[in-house]
Amino acid sequence: MPDSDRTVRGLVPVVDVDEDRPESERKLTPGIALCLSGGGYRAMLYHLGGIIRLNELGKLGDIDRVSSVSGGSITAGKLGLAWSQLQFDNHGVATNLEQIVIDPIRTLAEHTIDKKSIIGGLLRPRRTIGQDIAKAYDRHLYDGKTLRDLPDDDHGPRFVINATNVQTGKLFRFSRPYQGDYTVGLWLDPKTRLADAVAASSAFPPVLSPHTFKPSGDFDLDSKGINVNEAFRTRLWLSDGGVYDNLGLETAWKRYRTILVSDGGGMLGTETSPKRNWVQHGMRIAAIVDGQVRTLRKRQLIGGYESNLRDGAYWGIRSDVPDYHLSDPIDFPVPNRERAQGVKTRLAELGADTQRDLINWGYVIADTALRRWVFTDAPAPEGLPVH
């Protein structure tokens, strides 16, 4: 692993106790899980670079689970919806990935949807900000499709879209077979719109959170957890999945041997003159707490790799290529990398050059990590995917 990440050894990422998950989620298997972090449009586009590289290597079709939060869920939702239409050639490469996944996501990135939704939510009290965000996602990417339109386990990876249950403080996961919070219980065969699941997963506080709606599917009484109050099963109060787990590790770590993590999360900046008013000061303190939790998960993930608890690789938007000690990495200009890293965590319009830099930087650092730690015999790519 990169030298800069060699800080915590022999530990595992923070996860709930085994009793909080079904038996099927406790057994470790040899499969591959891809985790996509939060980070708004920045992460949404950055993750595309890693997905493109995995596809070129013929490994995209080998993934068993895609676990996502926040901005990563925007990308995961579109990939899952398009999965049945991907045309894999004899080398395992999806030849139409760009047309049915990459291009639509880039089109969404041309539109600002957070500011309009916030203003609309304030002016129309009967329509929430979350509803407006979901409407925008649906219009640009998901077209009314539901969790039932994701691939089943026999025809592709299981896509798990993660949110945070504000009522219980636990993870709430959406997938094709079920949705739920294990401390409340599971709803089987849910009919939740994909746009609502992604809107909940990306409802970053304080302005976009919470996204509230009624649960769908058949509640499984056998799965009922410790939180039995009917209020937990009447209406869902959900916030950004990154509040609980910004790397999307929770639903992958205890299930799969190989964990690939694409991290497009931001970095907490300094403030020479912190605000004194309770609103802005509270937001700053919350950001500090969030940053520490994310750093802990990352460090413990690297420790898990180093202690051979798991195989895999981590590539972050703020990683450095030289730290991986790959003999033949792709060259990427520093100004372009810095432009990608400097994008704010928003659902706001990004120009073509910034989009290109985010995708290409995600591609470069993913290639570096994957060829150094996982697919060590893979040849170097011929060039960058977006020109």
Side-chain angles (χ1 to χ4, degrees):
M1 291 286 94
D3 290 342
S4 60
D5 290 330
R6 294 182 183 276
T7 50
V8 176
R9 300 173 181 272
L11 302 177
V12 296
V14 179
V15 292
D16 285 339
V17 295
D18 281 341
E19 287 71 18
D20 287 342
R21 65 193 72 245
E23 290 289 343
S24 63
E25 293 289 320
R26 302 181 199 175
K27 183 179 179 182
L28 191 66
T29 69
I32 301 174
L34 173 64
C35 301
L36 305 179
S37 81
Y41 279 178
R42 180 188 62 247
M44 176 185 78
L45 292 167
Y46 171 80
H47 296 320
L48 291 179
I51 290 170
I52 291 171
R53 188 59 182 132
L54 284 166
N55 186 48
E56 288 178 351
L57 292 168
K59 304 300 182 181
L60 185 62
D62 294 339
I63 293 173
D64 298 282
R65 175 164 299 189
V66 178
S67 176
S68 62
V69 296
S70 198
S73 292
I74 307 174
T75 300
K78 186 58 181 177
L79 178 63
L81 188 58
W83 192 270
S84 63
Q85 303 169 46
L86 290 176
Q87 299 170 359
F88 290 96
D89 64 17
N90 293 334
H91 301 287
V93 177
T95 58
N96 60 340
L97 179 70
E98 182 175 358
Q99 291 81 7
I100 66 175
V101 177
I102 310 299
D103 288 347
I105 290 175
R106 293 196 65 180
T107 298
L108 171 63
E110 297 172 358
H111 300 271
T112 297
I113 64 175
D114 54 4
K115 186 176 181 180
K116 294 178 181 179
S117 298
I118 293 168
I119 294 173
L122 294 174
L123 295 178
R124 298 191 303 271
R126 292 187 178 181
R127 186 177 184 87
T128 68
I129 295 172
Q131 288 172 334
D132 274 355
I133 294 290
K135 182 179 179 181
Y137 287 154
D138 207 45
R139 180 171 68 252
H140 291 289
L141 290 180
Y142 307 129
D143 195 28
K145 302 299 184 182
T146 73
L147 295 174
R148 291 181 175 182
D149 293 296
L150 296 174
D152 62 35
D153 292 348
D154 293 329
H155 296 89
R158 177 177 294 187
F159 286 81
V160 184
I161 296 170
N162 299 287
T164 301
N165 190 337
V166 179
Q167 293 171 299
T168 66
K170 297 292 187 179
L171 198 71
F172 192 100
R173 53 188 87 187
F174 296 93
S175 65
R176 175 170 175 155
Y178 63 83
Q179 65 181 28
D181 164 350
Y182 291 127
T183 71
V184 175
L186 306 179
W187 287 264
L188 305 180
D189 196 24
K191 302 178 287 295
T192 302
R193 286 191 316 164
L194 198 52
D196 281 309
V198 174
S201 182
S202 59
F204 22 95
V207 290
L208 302 186
S209 174
H211 185 34
T212 62
F213 54 95
K214 294 181 179 179
S216 69
D218 300 318
F219 187 78
D220 180 13
L221 292 175
D222 291 336
S223 71
K224 187 163 57 175
I226 59 174
N227 294 312
V228 297
N229 191 300
E230 187 64 24
F232 296 120
R233 293 158 52 182
T234 303
R235 192 165 191 82
L236 303 176
W237 291 72
L238 304 177
S239 189
D240 192 299
V243 173
Y244 190 89
D245 172 13
N246 196 56
L247 294 183
L249 280 171
E250 183 80 20
T251 62
W253 183 263
K254 284 200 171 183
R255 188 76 172 96
Y256 294 100
R257 174 69 193 181
T258 301
I259 308 292
L260 308 178
V261 179
S262 177
D263 181 7
M267 177 180 289
L268 179 69
T270 59
E271 283 190 1
T272 56
S273 300
K275 303 297 186 294
R276 289 182 178 276
N277 71 80
W278 68 269
V279 175
Q280 289 177 295
H281 188 72
M283 291 173 62
R284 176 65 177 174
I285 297 302
I288 293 172
V289 173
D290 173 70
Q292 290 304 305
V293 172
R294 284 189 285 168
T295 299
L296 177 61
R297 281 189 183 267
K298 173 188 170 182
R299 289 175 176 176
Q300 292 182 325
L301 168 69
I302 303 302
Y305 290 148
E306 293 185 329
S307 60
N308 294 319
L309 290 172
R310 296 293 183 276
D311 303 317
Y314 165 94
W315 57 94
I317 195 168
R318 302 183 190 284
S319 298
D320 290 325
V321 169
D323 285 341
Y324 287 85
H325 304 295
L326 183 68
S327 61
D328 57 344
I330 311 171
D331 182 55
F332 194 72
V334 172
N336 299 74
R337 184 194 70 194
E338 291 179 344
R339 176 159 54 186
Q341 294 171 334
V343 175
K344 295 181 179 179
T345 304
R346 286 198 51 196
L347 305 176
E349 176 186 359
L350 295 175
D353 289 346
T354 303
Q355 290 189 32
R356 178 199 63 206
D357 290 342
L358 279 164
I359 297 171
N360 283 342
W361 175 234
Y363 178 92
V364 168
I365 198 66
D367 170 73
T368 303
L370 290 169
R371 287 197 292 123
R372 176 66 178 88
W373 295 110
V374 186
F375 310 117
T376 55
D377 295 330
E382 297 179 358
L384 299 173
V386 183
H387 300 286

